[in-house]
Amino acid sequence: IQSITTKRFRHRRGCLVEVVIADETGELTCRWWNQPYAARSFSEAQEILAFGKPAIGKSLTMDQPEVEILESGEAEDIHVHRIVPIYPLTQGVTQRWLRQLMWKVCHEFAGRVPRQSTAVSSQSNLTRETALFALHFPDDMDEPQAAKLYFAEEELIAFQLKLQKRRLRFNEKATAPPCHNDNSLVQPLLSQLPFRLTKAQERVMKEIRSDLNNSSPMRRLLQGDVGSGKTIIAALTALMILESGHDVALMAPTELLAEQHYKTFSNWLKSLGVDLAYCTANQKINEISTPPTITIGTHALLENGYQPKRLGLVIIDEQHRFGVTQRDRLLRKGVYPHLLTMTATPIPRSLGLTVYGDLEHSILDERPKGRGTVTTYVRDFDRMERIWHFIDREVCQGRQAFVIYPRIAAESEDQVKSIESEFLQIKRRFPNHNVACLHGQIDPAETATTMEAFRNNQIQILVATSVIEVGVDVPNASIMLIENAERFGLAQLHQMRGRIGRGEANSHCILVTDRAKDEAWERLQILESNSDGFAIAENDLKHRGPGEFLGQQQSGLPRFRFADLITHRELVIAIRTKVRIHLGLDDAGATQVLPLRISDPSQDQSDSSG
């Protein structure tokens, strides 16, 4: 710095601070307008580095430059001529002061800060010391990314160790109910089914049979896209337990879904002499019969009225709808019963391995044969007349339709449609067809009557909220119209779309939104071009985050500072595998099990799926 001057302008009531700096290439005048305090920040002969946009007039000038003061005796390479960190600050703390502090901290303490866990080796070639320096004072822009990956790995290792050690402690103290099943119920059911299991279903059944023949209780999460056939897996698993003389409890989140399961199980098992019981808030059971029984119900199974004598298996459908405490409360009705949890809401694998890391995972990624395709369209509201004509034509040909709204009642402050505002108009639009409505405020008995009429095609158009998201299986329904589709998450829309396409006819899902809402339009087009529920769930996770995706019931998910469940997906999977191998969990269950014959009994044994 050659000179520092302050010029004041009376008529403008302002000032100009000019600091002239020079080096071997010449002089530059740095100027700050109406900032008199700027003069107090500098002194003559001080060394500074100025950065900004120069202007050439009578002299070379630079207005409002960024300035670094090179203090006497200070290592110049902390602040200049390098990539520097930008820290979040608070009042009274400057970037320069904090950067100087972190430089000292890294040099004095980086080598003395231990890893969170040394039990599992890191796949990074960094040490904690080099990772800290790479994060705060990198030599190039690749180093901070490598450091963040190192610390993400640390977080995931620590979390998985905690999760899997809990599983190990459980395995050490828990003894599973003996399941020496003999196929006496499973094989008759398989032989009378009107369909064959898919390859994915066969694979999952092998995994479950191996679990049931293990000395530790099964703890397995079955993820299956809509229409992938989870219910038959639940039925076959339940029969394996019944063959061993134990009871089974199947809990669903809604009466609609519980009733659907009860009717399906009754249809499949009526010729096998299996006892079925039904337990909901409106239909309690007082005592379980002496023979092994399958009890299907809702939250009512958690109450004292349900007391099974020999509970060997708990099946929880739509697992994400229940809290961990509720799951454990049902399990405590037995002595370490097996657990099979199922969800048709596709969970991104990275998220599933994190939140449900103490459960084994099975994925049904194949749809049964003989089902029509589902085509999805995203449309603006100005296409509604054409959409109504299309629905009318399909219904006249014998098909049925869902019309979905995000609300029951209208609200004045926005333009979101509701059943209350649209139901009568739809009835007037289709005078020759039966139209009914269904939502969460309707009496359960009336809901059951409406659904039965819809299944029997006595109702052609069902106007509903997202209450039909699960537990509705009407093969003849081939049309779904969802208005204000932007009000739903992608995974929820995919779930509702799964209510159609369950028969042989091709189906159509129409998502209606305002095209002016660019972000919503772009998000919905993911559904238009993608039918893979797990890919859709990954997009939903990216847009909404794990908190919104899981809701409050899984609020125990840690807030990772470096790990990201989307970008570090492969790392999550690799670390879980490495931790389980370290703890010896992946060696469990390697026992000989009785083959589950999926093929026709008349075929050669070599054709068996094992």
Side-chain angles (χ1 to χ4, degrees):
I1 293 180
Q2 305 296 310
S3 64
I4 305 168
T5 59
T6 301
K7 298 178 180 178
R8 299 191 179 275
F9 310 104
R10 289 185 180 179
H11 63 287
R12 294 185 182 177
R13 296 182 180 180
C15 69
L16 172 64
V17 175
E18 292 186 333
V19 176
V20 178
I21 61 175
D23 62 14
E24 65 276 8
T25 67
E27 289 188 349
L28 171 70
T29 301
C30 300
R31 305 191 301 183
W32 287 268
W33 297 88
N34 298 322
Q35 296 179 35
Y37 53 82
R40 299 192 293 272
S41 302
F42 307 106
S43 59
E44 289 188 14
Q46 204 172 37
E47 287 193 354
I48 69 170
L49 179 76
F51 173 81
K53 184 178 180 179
I56 300 177
K58 293 181 180 179
S59 62
L60 191 64
T61 61
M62 188 180 288
D63 289 347
Q64 310 296 131
E66 293 183 32
V67 174
E68 289 282 359
I69 300 173
L70 306 180
E71 296 177 4
S72 176
E74 181 179 75
E76 182 178 322
D77 57 357
I78 298 179
H79 306 288
V80 298
H81 304 145
R82 66 170 304 120
I83 300 165
V84 294
I86 304 297
Y87 297 109
L89 302 175
T90 190
Q91 187 175 5
V93 177
T94 64
Q95 285 290 346
R96 186 180 189 82
W97 182 88
L98 189 53
R99 194 180 299 141
Q100 180 78 14
L101 177 64
M102 287 308 303
W103 178 267
K104 293 177 181 177
V105 166
C106 286
H107 276 82
E108 292 183 28
F109 300 105
R112 296 160 60 183
V113 181
R115 286 184 61 204
Q116 291 185 24
S117 172
T118 56
V120 177
S121 61
S122 169
Q123 62 187 38
S124 172
N125 56 7
L126 297 177
T127 65
R128 204 159 209 264
E129 182 177 6
T130 56
L132 281 167
F133 271 100
L135 189 65
H136 291 275
F137 301 100
D139 292 327
D140 58 58
M141 289 306 293
D142 291 334
E143 287 192 2
Q145 298 307 315
K148 288 177 181 178
L149 189 62
Y150 172 89
F151 289 114
E153 187 180 34
E154 268 200 0
E155 286 182 323
L156 292 169
I157 288 173
F159 178 71
Q160 282 294 334
L161 276 171
K162 181 179 179 181
L163 207 60
Q164 300 303 332
K165 281 179 179 178
R166 184 172 70 189
R167 177 67 188 273
L168 186 62
R169 288 194 298 270
F170 172 80
N171 286 352
E172 288 172 348
K173 71 178 182 180
T175 302
C179 290
H180 307 299
N181 38 71
D182 56 9
N183 281 344
S184 60
L185 294 174
V186 170
Q187 204 57 53
L189 175 60
L190 288 172
S191 63
Q192 71 183 30
L193 288 175
F195 56 85
R196 285 178 56 86
L197 299 189
T198 64
K199 295 295 183 184
Q201 288 171 323
E202 292 179 7
R203 182 188 70 244
V204 169
M205 287 311 305
K206 292 176 190 176
E207 294 167 349
I208 289 174
R209 187 177 282 275
S210 177
D211 285 350
L212 295 182
N213 283 270
N214 195 358
S215 59
S216 299
M218 175 176 71
R219 293 292 181 266
R220 186 167 289 277
L221 170 66
L222 175 59
Q223 291 179 242
D225 208 346
V226 287
S228 59
K230 296 179 299 301
T231 307
I232 188 59
I233 298 295
L236 291 168
T237 306
L239 291 182
M240 291 181 193
I241 298 297
L242 260 61
E243 289 173 353
S244 303
H246 301 287
D247 296 317
V248 176
L250 191 162
M251 185 168 68
T254 65
E255 288 197 22
L256 197 63
L257 183 53
E259 181 192 10
Q260 178 74 44
H261 281 316
Y262 184 75
K263 289 183 177 180
T264 302
F265 273 56
S266 298
N267 182 50
W268 283 340
L269 309 180
K270 60 186 176 184
S271 64
L272 302 181
V274 172
D275 282 356
L276 284 178
Y278 186 56
C279 180
T280 67
N282 298 307
Q283 188 171 337
K284 298 291 181 66
I285 53 175
N286 297 321
E287 187 177 350
I288 301 299
S289 58
T290 301
T293 304
I294 299 175
T295 304
I296 299 172
T298 58
H299 296 76
L301 294 176
L302 303 175
E303 305 303 324
N304 294 331
Y306 175 60
Q307 292 295 337
K309 293 180 173 62
R310 305 163 302 277
L311 185 61
L313 171 67
V314 169
I315 302 173
I316 298 179
D317 199 7
E318 296 301 325
Q319 129 91 18
H320 61 286
R321 299 280 190 96
F322 296 96
V324 175
T325 303
Q326 290 175 316
R327 182 183 79 182
D328 291 344
R329 186 175 173 183
L330 185 55
L331 286 169
R332 285 197 295 271
K333 291 180 181 282
V335 181
Y336 298 119
H338 297 284
L339 172 67
L340 176 65
T341 66
M342 307 190 298
T343 180
T345 299
I347 301 168
R349 193 172 182 209
S350 55
L351 185 59
L353 291 177
T354 305
V355 182
Y356 307 118
D358 57 339
L359 303 176
E360 303 300 325
H361 279 64
S362 291
I363 294 179
L364 288 175
D365 50 8
E366 182 181 358
R367 282 173 60 88
K369 296 179 180 179
R371 294 193 175 185
T373 60
V374 179
T375 307
T376 303
Y377 315 88
V378 182
R379 296 290 183 261
D380 198 353
F381 282 105
D382 60 10
R383 301 282 292 274
M384 285 307 301
E385 279 302 316
R386 295 179 62 181
I387 292 170
W388 290 124
H389 284 306
F390 174 74
I391 293 175
D392 185 44
R393 187 174 71 245
E394 289 291 308
V395 173
C396 286
Q397 292 176 2
R399 298 298 171 193
Q400 292 168 271
F402 293 97
V403 179
I404 309 299
Y405 293 101
R407 289 179 180 166
I408 300 171
E411 295 183 15
S412 57
E413 64 269 15
D414 56 34
Q415 301 298 314
V416 177
K417 294 186 178 183
S418 66
I419 289 180
E420 184 181 81
S421 63
E422 303 298 320
F423 178 61
L424 292 178
Q425 294 185 44
I426 295 174
K427 288 195 74 170
R428 287 194 290 267
R429 184 179 289 276
F430 298 98
N432 299 322
H433 305 299
N434 286 332
V435 181
C437 73
L438 191 66
H439 53 74
Q441 295 179 7
I442 292 178
D443 179 75
E446 186 180 345
T447 296
T449 302
T450 300
M451 281 310 306
E452 189 63 27
F454 190 59
R455 288 190 194 98
N456 296 330
N457 203 2
Q458 295 166 348
I459 294 171
Q460 286 75 50
I461 299 175
L462 185 63
V463 182
T465 59
S466 59
V467 70
I468 57 90
E469 182 181 343
V470 295
V472 176
D473 187 3
V474 182
N476 191 52
S478 63
I479 303 293
M480 176 167 286
L481 166 64
I482 304 176
E483 296 202 54
N484 289 117
E486 78 281 354
R487 292 281 170 157
F488 301 99
L490 292 181
Q492 190 177 22
L493 288 169
H494 179 64
Q495 276 284 88
M496 291 190 288
R497 178 171 64 177
R499 299 312 102 200
I500 58 175
R502 305 177 84 86
E504 295 180 357
N506 292 332
S507 300
H508 308 273
C509 178
I510 307 164
L511 309 176
V512 182
T513 189
D514 185 353
R515 184 152 198 163
K517 299 177 180 177
D518 294 338
E519 185 177 342
W521 187 271
E522 182 180 344
R523 187 169 64 91
L524 292 175
Q525 285 187 316
I526 294 171
L527 282 167
E528 188 177 48
S529 59
N530 204 324
S531 60
D532 181 355
F534 295 100
I536 291 167
E538 292 282 359
N539 276 286
D540 218 13
L541 176 63
K542 190 181 300 182
H543 280 90
R544 303 166 69 194
E548 287 187 46
F549 196 94
L550 289 169
Q552 290 301 311
Q553 289 169 316
Q554 300 295 339
S555 57
L557 181 66
R559 290 179 176 270
F560 295 118
R561 298 189 65 184
F562 293 93
D564 183 279
L565 298 179
I566 299 173
T567 58
H568 297 148
R569 178 179 182 274
E570 297 302 324
L571 186 62
V572 171
I573 297 169
I575 285 176
R576 180 179 185 270
T577 302
K578 187 180 291 189
V579 168
R580 288 179 61 81
I581 291 173
H582 168 73
L583 296 176
L585 282 167
D586 274 345
D587 293 330
T591 56
Q592 286 295 110
V593 298
L594 185 67
L596 173 66
R597 190 170 356 143
I598 308 295
S599 60
D600 190 297
S602 63
Q603 293 180 5
D604 185 80
Q605 181 63 28
S606 63
D607 189 39
S608 168
S609 69

